[in-house]
Amino acid sequence: MSMTLPAINKSLAIGIQTSRTHGHILVLHSTATPNAPAYNVANFEHRTWRSAETFVHFAVDDKVAYQIGTPGYRAWGAGNVNSYAPVQIELCEFSNKTKALKAYKLWVELAVTMAKQYGVPLTLDDNNRTYGIKTHNWCSRTYGGSDHSDPYGYLASIGITKAQLAKDLKAGHATGTGSASSTVAKARATSASAGKLAVDGDWGASTTKRLQQVYKTPVDGVISGQYPWKNYKGAVTGFQYDTTNPAGSQVIAAIQRSLGLKADGLLGPATIKAMQRAAGTPVDGVISPNSRLVIYIQQQLNAGKRPF
């Protein structure tokens, strides 16, 4: 059964300021600003859209949608695809999984409602360049003018796959997501039963061993020879630290070589940022608990691929 659509607050709408669009694309974004409600997004874009040259049509959180741009007229949210997109919608990101899934459901339903209003097919990231629902990731890859890759990294962190998103859009509402805890528990149980890594964003010995296997370095489940960087210590396990002259890790060096970096084996902020850019996750040089970067790494390893 479909949920009630979020109320649409138009108090921060900027009105018609741009030209009409001439395509049938609806762009899905996520904010990359953890725990900021829709009001914050809309208020910022309302104040800065001219100087920052960035705004979308709607921002959705777990309770409400704020309108910013005018649907049917260009927003400045996804680079060169903007003129084809009468609607662009931001999903607010939450670390609380219950709020995150509620916001996701409202985001899906608003997207489907707007898609039907503007003649947008309920397809996701297919090869049609002027029709369909597209993620910012697809827009960046297909049209350029932007290097963002949202929302897939964030969706993965709350247990939503691309296939689930496509299914929900086609159904017209979120299906089978359940509670946040049950979603994560099911994902972990499925991974365990299939002999795969739990996609939980936590970097431990199992993730390290799989990395060592795919990069063909000695397999011991330990990231050795690291300086005790504050940007991840406490969020990872099985790392060995040296405060004076750390020798580095062979598997980290292998990852650095694949990214075109100096292969010193030290997982410092610059290496983490390069990994985040390659993964399409927020770039801050930090590995946090339940890290989106680590979720990406685990997903790639479960698919039998080198993450970088």
Side-chain angles (χ1 to χ4, degrees):
M1 181 177 179
S2 175
M3 291 179 61
T4 302
L5 284 171
I8 297 178
N9 188 313
K10 298 183 179 181
S11 63
L12 293 170
I14 63 176
I16 298 173
Q17 302 284 351
T18 57
S19 60
R20 284 188 178 274
T21 55
H22 53 272
H24 297 272
I25 283 177
L26 186 150
V27 182
L28 295 176
H29 303 261
S30 66
T31 60
T33 307
N35 302 312
Y39 169 82
N40 290 29
V41 177
N43 184 49
F44 178 78
E45 293 185 3
H46 178 86
R47 291 185 292 104
T48 67
W49 72 273
R50 288 185 185 277
S51 58
E53 297 185 345
T54 301
F55 71 97
V56 296
H57 295 101
F58 297 99
V60 180
D61 61 22
D62 59 319
K63 297 176 181 177
V64 65
Y66 271 85
Q67 181 176 325
I68 307 163
T70 301
Y73 291 81
R74 289 182 64 192
W76 298 340
N80 296 335
V81 80
N82 290 334
S83 61
Y84 300 105
V87 181
Q88 300 193 40
I89 307 176
E90 285 272 13
L91 169 63
C92 294
E93 301 183 6
F94 295 102
S95 54
N96 179 291
K97 298 294 175 61
T98 300
K99 292 182 70 173
L101 287 175
K102 186 174 180 181
Y104 167 77
K105 292 176 180 180
L106 298 181
W107 180 66
V108 166
E109 294 200 1
L110 181 59
V112 170
T113 297
M114 289 293 156
K116 292 178 178 178
Q117 183 174 338
Y118 286 91
V120 177
L122 300 179
T123 55
L124 178 65
D125 285 356
D126 66 9
N127 293 327
N128 194 310
R129 291 173 61 90
T130 55
Y131 280 82
I133 296 177
K134 314 294 187 183
T135 59
H136 197 166
N137 177 64
W138 182 95
C139 297
S140 296
R141 291 186 292 105
T142 305
Y143 275 92
S146 173
D147 62 359
H148 292 201
S149 60
D150 50 294
Y152 287 129
Y154 169 67
L155 292 179
S157 76
I158 62 172
I160 303 296
T161 63
K162 179 180 179 180
Q164 183 69 53
L165 175 58
K167 178 181 177 182
D168 292 344
L169 291 169
K170 186 175 181 180
H173 61 278
T175 62
T177 53
S179 68
S181 59
S182 65
T183 299
V184 173
K186 287 178 182 178
R188 290 179 176 176
T190 300
S191 293
S193 65
K196 294 185 176 181
L197 294 170
V199 181
D200 55 12
D202 295 328
W203 189 332
S206 296
T207 297
T208 297
K209 284 182 179 179
R210 195 68 60 83
L211 281 170
Q212 291 169 331
Q213 289 167 353
V214 300
Y215 285 98
K216 301 186 184 308
T217 63
V219 179
D220 60 4
V222 175
I223 300 295
S224 58
Q226 299 300 301
Y227 186 81
W229 304 100
K230 293 181 180 180
N231 59 332
Y232 60 72
K233 194 173 182 183
V236 298
T237 56
F239 279 43
Q240 293 180 346
Y241 301 104
D242 183 339
T243 59
T244 56
N245 188 29
S249 160
Q250 291 186 50
V251 71
I252 298 302
I255 290 171
Q256 289 169 324
R257 281 191 290 270
S258 71
L259 292 168
L261 304 174
K262 177 183 177 182
D264 59 9
L266 299 176
L267 187 60
T271 297
I272 293 171
K273 286 181 180 179
M275 293 165 69
Q276 289 170 328
R277 290 190 191 95
T281 61
V283 179
D284 59 6
V286 175
I287 297 176
S288 57
N290 307 122
S291 163
R292 289 185 223 169
L293 171 62
V294 177
I295 285 172
Y296 166 83
I297 290 170
Q298 292 166 335
Q299 289 174 325
Q300 295 298 300
L301 291 171
N302 281 343
K305 300 177 181 177
R306 289 188 175 188
F308 311 101

